[in-house]
Amino acid sequence: MRILVIADHDGTTMSDATARTVTAATTMGGEIHILVIGHGVEAVASHAAKLQSVAKVLCADAPSLAHGLAEPVAAIVARVAGGYDNIVAPATSFGKSIAPRVAALLDVMQLSDVTSVISADTYERPIYAGNALQTIRSKDKRRVVTIRPSAFPAVGEGGTAPIETIEAETVPELVTFKGSEVTKNERPELTSAKIVVSGGRGVGSEDQFKQLVLPLADKLGGAVGASRAAVDSGYAPNDWQVGQTGKVVAPDLYVALGISGAIQHLAGMKDSKVIVAINKDADAPIFQVADYGLVADMFQAVPQLIAELDKT
Amino acid sequence: MKILVPVKRVTDPNIKIRVKADGSGVDLTSVKMAINPFCEIAVEEAIRLREAGKAREVVVVSIGPTAAQDTLRAALAMGADRAILIEAETGVEPLGVAKALKRIAEAENPDIIIVGKQAVDDDCNQTGQMLAALLGWPQATFASKVELGEGVATVKREIDGGLETLELKLPIVVTTDLRLNTPRYASLPNIMKAKKKPIDVRKAADFPELADLRLEVLKTIEPPGRAAGIKVNSIAELVQKLRSEARVI
């Protein structure tokens, strides 16, 4: 049994989601290799080589691979896949884009957003926004699996796997990367943060989001999240969205401010260890999942909370 | 320019589904069904491109039970020109669906296929990418803006941490994210008009790839619920609980 993990990275740093995916791969039972694809990604490859349980790092490095475009990346993965039983990627925006493309090239079905590994071919995954958990077995000769990062801890470091360079694929250049607007973020990354503070429609405006949600997140050293309603209303950018169609988080502490608790939001945060909800509507569904609920006007409660945290 | 939009009939996203007690699946009897929200965004985008004079025809296609005609009628009422239904009464998987859609695409010859990024029932997020791979077309997943030029499309995509812009040579597959647009409500006259628009019904027997299932569902269970929490009466009490009881701050 051989497992290939596709590394998710930004060109210089490997994402925490990759280390979590390696943990999931260890429970499949087999030799684990990591495939790093990009341009000038020596640092990513050496980081991958340090991860525990990794036997080998494969690295494809070429200018045409600089932006992780799905077409050349999937072509390389599909070419290398013949030597592996399981091809595993984190369910990040990168992994979600490339993995189904790889699966189709290999003529196999993908198992998406896996939250638990039962065996090498059997997995548990949420469906219907996490309102049901399905155990599925793949009958394919090899499997393409994406892993929900928040469901697994990150693997430790201390390994010294060898790095092997592999050829880049030549595919017709049908796609040109024109640029990106990546938010410079001093806060922890949303999907791996220990504390997440999220705001909902109840926050009322983009300005109030900045004045209430952000200072509390910073006070707690946490990441910032938002409900779909808050994103739809333009209070927060889409990549802060927590929920079925946004990010799935499972921090130690999740603070929901002015969030009613729609099914699709709960799907993104209900596996958090401790949930705190502050909402002025005592009947809001968020209170059904909250460990600590406070029925209060958040515009008064949040400044009080920050002041209280300042004491001691 | 022709646009093909695959749409899926799913349970209404606003209702909480029930898992059958025997673990055999989700109880779908007498549950309200609707067009998948991301497919609705795809239909809207295609219609807007046609209205802007960038496209000539919008064809919607669905794979599902006879009742999926309702889903197609909803898309036709929004403004799609015609519809194709591949009747499949049993369950299908994204790979089989992508293979069937590939054959539809080869017959229809669209310049763009706009697909919802995921269906809110199985939450797979696969069909668009698989279809692009099978056709050998470039893909732009999780689109929040689509602009058409001469033989190319410029697509802004939602990625972790922000946005990315790609320029792609047509033909392409685009998958929709939430912020691409807000779908319109169909007006009563358009709902009436949609009843007269053609739906070309195909038999599942002509699409054997749909029956080639690769996954076996062993069981479906309800996720473990959370233990009931408590209401606190003040901020001071909340902070005290978080510090000494939950120990998370």
Side-chain angles (χ1 to χ4, degrees):
Chain A
M1 170 85 180
R2 300 219 301 171
I3 302 160
L4 183 67
V5 172
I6 316 303
D8 175 272
H9 61 84
D10 64 1
T12 48
T13 316
M14 196 174 65
S15 77
D16 173 72
T18 310
R20 291 166 182 264
T21 302
V22 170
T23 300
T26 60
T27 62
M28 295 172 189
E31 186 176 308
I32 299 171
H33 296 179
I34 295 194
L35 174 56
V36 177
I37 301 172
H39 183 49
V41 287
E42 298 84 2
V44 180
S46 13
H47 187 184
K50 289 197 191 90
L51 294 182
Q52 272 171 22
S53 317
V54 173
K56 187 155 78 172
V57 175
L58 304 177
C59 185
D61 197 315
S64 61
L65 301 172
H67 303 289
L69 297 177
E71 297 76 13
V73 168
I76 293 174
V77 178
R79 187 192 72 208
V80 179
Y84 296 90
D85 302 280
N86 286 7
I87 295 95
V88 189
T92 54
S93 62
F94 168 77
K96 287 177 189 172
S97 270
I98 61 137
R101 201 165 170 109
V102 171
L105 293 174
L106 298 174
D107 191 30
V108 303
M109 251 306 286
Q110 175 178 309
L111 299 106
S112 292
D113 217 10
V114 159
T115 50
S116 178
V117 177
I118 315 286
S119 72
D121 65 2
T122 307
Y123 300 89
E124 189 173 78
R125 60 176 300 264
I127 53 172
Y128 289 92
N131 286 302
L133 294 174
Q134 206 173 46
T135 304
I136 39 177
R137 193 176 74 80
S138 164
K139 297 184 277 189
D140 282 313
K141 58 188 182 304
R142 54 178 59 90
R143 274 83 45 181
V144 173
V145 181
T146 63
I147 297 294
R148 176 177 287 193
S150 66
F152 298 88
V155 76
E157 295 185 11
T160 49
I163 301 173
E164 186 184 303
T165 306
I166 62 165
E167 286 297 306
E169 206 76 15
T170 320
V171 296
E173 293 202 7
L174 300 169
V175 183
T176 318
F177 176 83
K178 296 302 246 187
S180 63
E181 303 154 41
V182 174
T183 338
K184 200 82 193 111
N185 204 343
E186 300 301 322
R187 299 187 183 92
E189 206 266 314
L190 184 53
T191 50
S192 56
K194 290 209 167 0
I195 296 179
V196 174
V197 179
S198 284
R201 201 199 298 274
V203 177
S205 74
E206 189 183 357
D207 283 347
Q208 284 164 342
F209 203 98
K210 284 189 187 134
Q211 285 157 20
L212 281 173
V213 185
L214 272 52
L216 180 58
D218 292 340
K219 184 79 228 163
L220 290 166
V224 183
S227 71
R228 176 173 161 179
V231 170
D232 277 351
S233 309
Y235 306 168
N238 189 56
D239 56 300
W240 289 2
Q241 192 199 144
V242 172
Q244 179 188 17
T245 62
K247 300 220 164 60
V248 179
V249 302
D252 292 342
L253 173 63
Y254 188 89
V255 183
L257 303 173
I259 290 178
S260 64
I263 292 171
Q264 85 89 27
H265 183 73
L266 301 182
M269 46 64 83
K270 67 183 169 52
D271 292 327
S272 305
K273 214 149 96 194
V274 174
I275 297 173
V276 169
I278 300 178
N279 199 306
K280 64 176 185 224
D281 174 9
D283 298 322
I286 190 77
F287 287 122
Q288 289 163 19
V289 300
D291 299 282
Y292 303 107
L294 178 66
V295 180
D297 179 355
M298 56 171 288
F299 298 98
Q300 284 160 15
V302 172
Q304 277 177 30
L305 178 51
I306 292 172
E308 187 71 25
L309 290 166
D310 273 329
K311 296 181 190 172
T312 69
Chain B
M1 176 108 51
K2 190 196 271 189
I3 306 177
L4 182 68
V5 184
V7 295
K8 185 175 184 184
R9 177 179 184 263
V10 297
T11 52
D12 187 307
N14 298 310
I15 25 183
K16 192 172 186 309
I17 52 99
R18 270 192 12 191
V19 178
K20 288 187 200 162
D22 64 1
S24 65
V26 170
D27 190 357
L28 294 178
T29 44
S30 68
V31 172
K32 191 178 167 220
M33 304 298 278
I35 183 172
N36 177 47
F38 290 98
C39 301
E40 195 175 19
I41 293 171
V43 174
E44 176 68 30
E45 192 64 17
I47 296 168
R48 287 189 190 188
L49 288 168
R50 192 198 56 204
E51 285 170 348
K54 302 280 187 187
R56 180 177 45 82
E57 190 183 27
V58 175
V59 181
V60 287
V61 52
S62 192
I63 298 172
T66 310
Q69 290 207 15
D70 300 344
T71 311
L72 290 170
R73 291 279 173 219
L76 293 169
M78 286 172 71
D81 297 293
R82 60 186 172 88
I84 300 166
L85 173 65
I86 303 175
E87 274 189 340
E89 294 296 335
T90 53
V92 292
E93 288 172 355
L95 182 63
V97 167
K99 287 179 178 176
L101 291 175
K102 174 181 185 247
R103 286 172 56 198
I104 297 289
E106 283 165 350
E108 291 287 339
N109 223 0
D111 302 277
I112 309 179
I113 304 177
I114 310 181
V115 196
K117 75 164 178 179
Q118 80 192 62
V120 296
D121 51 3
D122 60 22
D123 284 330
C124 272
N125 195 334
Q126 298 174 5
T127 303
Q129 297 89 314
M130 286 181 162
L131 178 57
L134 295 174
L135 287 165
W137 292 5
Q139 66 183 45
T141 48
F142 323 140
S144 63
K145 193 172 186 189
V146 177
E147 282 174 330
L148 290 182
E150 270 305 308
V152 293
T154 306
V155 180
K156 203 167 259 193
R157 338 175 24 232
E158 307 271 1
I159 56 167
D160 294 337
L163 295 164
E164 171 182 281
T165 306
L166 301 179
E167 189 180 273
L168 308 100
K169 283 193 186 132
L170 301 178
I172 59 168
V173 174
V174 172
T175 81
T176 61
D177 216 319
L178 276 179
R179 292 199 297 183
L180 185 57
N181 61 52
T182 306
R184 69 193 67 192
Y185 289 100
S187 66
L188 190 59
N190 284 343
I191 292 171
M192 300 311 287
K193 253 193 264 171
K195 290 186 176 165
K196 294 196 186 100
K197 289 183 183 175
I199 296 182
D200 173 9
V201 180
R202 315 276 178 89
K203 294 285 163 226
D206 297 327
F207 294 86
E209 56 270 47
L210 289 171
D212 177 18
L213 301 181
R214 311 295 183 83
L215 303 179
E216 184 186 354
V217 179
L218 303 180
K219 65 173 177 192
T220 306
I221 59 165
E222 197 150 341
R226 288 185 76 93
I230 58 160
K231 289 258 172 70
V232 293
N233 293 308
S234 68
I235 286 291
E237 187 189 351
L238 173 65
V239 171
Q240 186 264 325
K241 294 272 188 204
L242 290 177
R243 283 201 171 125
S244 50
E245 197 175 84
R247 296 174 189 278
V248 286
I249 55 169

